[in-house]
Amino acid sequence: MIRPMINRDSQFFWDGTAAGELRIQVCNACGAKRFPPGPACPDCGALDRGFEATSGKGTVFSYVVHRYPPVPGKELPIVIALIDLDEGVRMVGEVVDVTDEEIEIGMPLQVDYRRIDDELTLPIWRKAS
Ligand code: ZN
């Protein structure tokens, strides 16, 4: 499978998923929330950054159903959505247990976690009940 890059800026995110938390970066200077993580705040430029755990809830902003080309370690098709978190940031994620006919814009989702190994736990999304 393709492993995500884990670096100094994103370590907190992967520590979070391993602990069952979906974390986003927060600027310690102005309080702006952001995703993906980066060294500087896009709002105020401050380098002083922290993070917080989100509710793990969001809605589908848009999506694609990936049928081709093959993805290592994946059975196709897979549903990849752009998800608006309740906290106001947007992230890409795989939606599981939802068919390509069920998925729709605005669908409420709840994050879940798929442990790959000791170093990697991926966030996945399911239809919120
Ligand atoms: Zn800021």
Side-chain angles (χ1 to χ4, degrees):
M1 64 170 285
I2 300 165
R3 299 180 71 97
M5 259 239 304
I6 301 179
N7 59 31
R8 217 164 29 155
D9 287 326
S10 63
Q11 184 67 52
F12 77 93
F13 180 82
W14 301 108
D15 288 347
T17 56
E21 272 184 14
L22 188 71
R23 296 172 178 173
I24 54 172
Q25 219 169 26
V26 181
C27 175
N28 286 336
C30 76
K33 298 170 185 185
R34 63 184 193 261
F35 192 89
C41 175
D43 283 13
C44 76
L47 296 171
D48 185 7
R49 55 200 185 273
F51 63 82
E52 66 176 36
T54 68
S55 62
K57 293 181 182 11
T59 56
V60 175
F61 173 76
S62 70
Y63 64 90
V64 294
V65 178
H66 185 93
R67 300 173 201 280
Y68 188 86
V71 179
K74 288 281 182 195
E75 218 170 287
L76 300 182
I78 50 176
V79 178
I80 303 293
L82 204 49
I83 300 147
D84 277 336
L85 269 61
D86 287 3
E87 287 76 12
V89 301
R90 195 168 278 169
M91 67 175 68
V92 174
E94 182 183 350
V95 185
V96 300
D97 298 338
V98 172
T99 68
D100 51 351
E101 274 147 37
E102 287 172 306
I103 184 84
E104 59 182 13
I105 288 164
M107 175 182 280
L109 299 176
Q110 172 69 51
V111 77
D112 197 359
Y113 303 94
R114 180 182 286 156
R115 188 179 180 282
I116 305 298
D117 56 35
D118 283 348
E119 267 139 45
L120 183 62
T121 299
L122 294 175
I124 53 171
W125 294 84
R126 299 178 191 280
K127 188 177 179 179
S129 48

